[in-house]
Amino acid sequence: MTAEEWALAASAFLSGLAAGFLGGLCTILRPMQAAMDGREFRTFMETFLRYADNGLGKAYNLAWSGGTTIAAIVALVLLWDDPGSPSFVLTAIALGIVIVGILIVSNVWKTPQYHVILSWNPDAMPADWEAGRQRYFTINWLQLATTWAAFALFLIALIAL
């Protein structure tokens, strides 16, 4: 395998990990969370984020998001001699999707929403807590779509080499 193939394979693999995780989050955990009352949802999110934002959970999130980004950049550098090739163009588009749909959305929208959710008092939920939960669900669906799109584009770019 060439270095370009390795970089694109890593990009596809890591974005595929994200697509799978977010798929489970949206199709399995989300319906469970939607059935919860405010106190249950708030308490669940506190526990979920304790693991997702620490230790192995944090390492996993950083590995797939950072790894996908770095591997895609490496692939673009290696493909730089032919910037009009389908592999270069598809990788550049996929990287843009990852930067906007994962990195920016996570830091500008998702993490602040986590802070909002954790600020809720489980014994006195705010009147608009359901809208906040829906915002969290919407972010997850958006990131599911972006990870699947990036995954598909990285695979097609790899096949096109």
Side-chain angles (χ1 to χ4, degrees), residues 36-39 41 120 125-134:
M36 296 175 183
D37 64 25
R39 179 181 178 76
F41 175 73
W120 298 337
M125 294 293 287
D128 65 343
W129 76 269
E130 288 172 305
R133 179 178 65 186
Q134 185 56 51

Side-chain angles (χ1 to χ4, degrees), residues 44-133:
F44 175 87
M45 288 302 293
E46 181 177 10
T47 303
F48 175 77
L49 291 171
R50 184 178 325 128
Y51 293 97
D53 200 29
N54 293 291
L56 290 176
K58 186 171 195 126
Y60 181 83
N61 283 323
L62 291 174
W64 72 256
S65 62
T68 300
T69 305
I70 292 166
I73 291 169
V74 168
L76 287 175
V77 169
L78 294 170
L79 295 166
W80 196 258
D81 61 333
D82 191 8
S85 71
S87 293
F88 183 91
V89 172
L90 293 170
T91 302
I93 293 168
L95 177 59
I97 289 171
V98 168
I99 290 170
V100 173
I102 300 300
L103 303 179
I104 291 175
V105 167
S106 288
N107 290 294
V108 173
W109 197 13
K110 192 173 200 173
T111 299
Q113 186 60 28
Y114 285 153
H115 294 301
V116 168
I117 292 168
L118 294 179
S119 74
W120 298 337
N121 179 345
D123 296 319
M125 294 293 287
D128 65 343
W129 76 269
E130 288 172 305
R133 179 178 65 186

Side-chain angles (χ1 to χ4, degrees), residues 23-36 133 137 141:
L25 189 66
C26 289
T27 63
I28 298 168
L29 285 180
R30 186 209 156 288
M32 291 170 50
Q33 293 172 312
M36 296 175 183
R133 179 178 65 186
F137 292 161
W141 281 110

